[in-house]
Amino acid sequence: MNLKRLPLVLVGLVAAAACSTATAGSTNQAGGAQSGYPVTISNCGKDYTYQKAPSRVVVMNGGSVAEVSALLELGLGDKIVANAQSYGASEVDGRVDAIKKLPTGDIKLNDLYDIPREAMIGLNPDFVISTYDGGFRAEAGFATRDDLAAIGANTYAPASSCGAVGTVSGKPSIEDSYALLRDLGKIFGVSDKAEKVIADAKKRVEAVEGKTAKLPKQNAMLIIPGMAMGGEFSSVGGNGIWNDIFAKAGAVNAFEGATQDLFANLSAEQVAKADVDVLVVVNYMSEDPKADAQKLFDRFPQWDAAKNKRFVVLSDSVYLGPSNHLAVEAIAKAAHPGAL
């Protein structure tokens, strides 16, 4: 794990697209294209008007795959001229290969593993997506929103990541993922597609909730092994989108009350005393995430999760993006064996 990546990776894991709004003219869809432009999107305190669907899209890194995955889910991969996002694992069949096939623009990334200002300008984009508003900071060597507006490019970042670097506003939820899809649907004139993706995901989540609603809530622990940001257990999920995912899967975060932050920096004693019924291991560039789970079980054999070998390995579905329903289903199966 390259420690230089950690701050951006954290932002990518928890970025949420809440509270974005859009207005548009009348729509008339034919052959997948939507008339109804101009479309105006409010993002990070400013309005951005689109006269037509973007055709030269650049996706910045920030440690996330939420944005590129959402574009692919909406069938917009052919609009991307440079993608800097990758993760190496996904619950969506074919997603990893689909991301690998996207053009990178042959860009030499900076020390933050992202696209520097001059390279960005040279790509001549008409739409740039960043995982967080810090992706447009001049002091970090990035093209600013004003820089990009000057060459005719609109810009976008998840609304709850519009504040200071590394902060997320509000209480993250699956609704934030739906908001991201809706915004992109409006920007690209594929709102019908976005609403179908959302409706299908909601249907699957509701099906799980219907089966787990009356079952005892199981205590879940989420951890990203090997990505410590401080102490040994500083990558334990605190307050993030996963808490909403847990709730819909019939579980609660065993450490939700341990911190107000996104991640809980716990002592080994706190971890040992916790009631952990199911373990969620987030696979981020791990050579063997199942072995990571077993190491925790060997160390904390008193957990019910260890006694019953109840764990699940997930990756991109446990944070912002179009596949939260897959995490809900997987965690529910691990938390409530036989119920689904």
Side-chain angles (χ1 to χ4, degrees), residues 143-332:
T144 66
R145 288 185 184 259
D146 288 341
D147 289 336
L148 293 164
I151 63 169
N154 275 322
T155 46
Y156 181 90
S160 65
S161 294
C162 289
V165 176
T167 65
V168 174
S169 61
K171 187 174 182 179
S173 76
I174 293 177
E175 290 296 326
D176 301 332
S177 295
Y178 300 155
L180 171 63
L181 288 164
R182 285 195 174 100
D183 276 353
L184 293 177
K186 292 167 184 173
I187 289 168
F188 287 90
V190 291
S191 287
D192 283 359
K193 173 67 173 177
E195 292 301 331
K196 184 180 186 305
V197 169
I198 292 167
D200 289 347
K202 283 187 172 182
K203 183 177 180 179
R204 291 175 65 166
V205 170
E206 289 168 358
V208 173
E209 288 185 290
K211 295 178 181 179
T212 62
K214 295 183 180 180
L215 297 176
K217 299 295 184 184
Q218 301 296 293
N219 292 313
M221 173 182 175
L222 179 145
I223 188 169
I224 310 174
M227 203 180 82
M229 285 73 72
E232 182 181 8
F233 295 103
S234 57
S235 63
V236 174
N239 291 295
I241 193 173
W242 43 76
N243 289 349
D244 188 36
I245 291 171
F246 287 165
K248 290 175 170 56
V252 294
N253 188 346
F255 300 100
E256 183 174 359
T259 180
Q260 295 298 314
D261 298 327
L262 298 165
F263 287 88
N265 191 0
L266 305 172
S267 67
E269 290 74 20
Q270 286 175 295
V271 175
K273 291 178 181 178
D275 293 325
V276 178
D277 300 312
V278 58
L279 177 67
V280 179
V281 174
V282 179
N283 175 17
Y284 180 72
M285 297 186 179
S286 173
E287 293 183 2
D288 192 345
K290 291 183 178 180
D292 294 333
Q294 187 58 52
K295 288 178 183 178
L296 287 166
F297 288 161
D298 291 343
R299 186 167 179 181
F300 304 107
Q302 69 275 15
W303 288 348
D304 282 346
K307 295 174 183 176
N308 299 310
K309 302 298 181 184
R310 289 165 64 185
F311 76 97
V312 61
V313 175
L314 296 172
S315 55
D316 57 345
S317 64
V318 293
Y319 41 85
L320 184 72
S323 53
N324 296 149
H325 58 284
L326 298 180
V328 171
E329 292 171 344
I331 293 170

Side-chain angles (χ1 to χ4, degrees), residues 8-97:
L8 293 182
V9 168
L10 291 183
V11 173
L13 290 178
V14 300
C19 302
S20 290
T21 60
T23 59
S26 62
T27 60
N28 178 22
Q29 287 194 305
Q34 182 182 31
S35 62
Y37 291 94
V39 172
T40 299
I41 297 285
S42 178
N43 186 240
C44 296
K46 293 184 179 181
D47 288 343
Y48 298 86
T49 298
Y50 298 78
Q51 299 296 337
K52 61 180 180 179
S55 61
R56 293 188 58 80
V57 179
V58 175
V59 185
M60 298 184 72
N61 182 13
S64 175
V65 289
E67 294 76 22
V68 72
S69 293
L71 289 169
L72 290 172
E73 189 71 25
L74 295 176
L76 300 169
D78 62 336
K79 309 296 184 184
I80 299 172
V81 296
N83 169 58
Q85 295 186 354
S86 63
Y87 195 78
S90 177
E91 278 71 74
V92 179
D93 290 341
R95 181 57 49 78
V96 172
D97 289 338

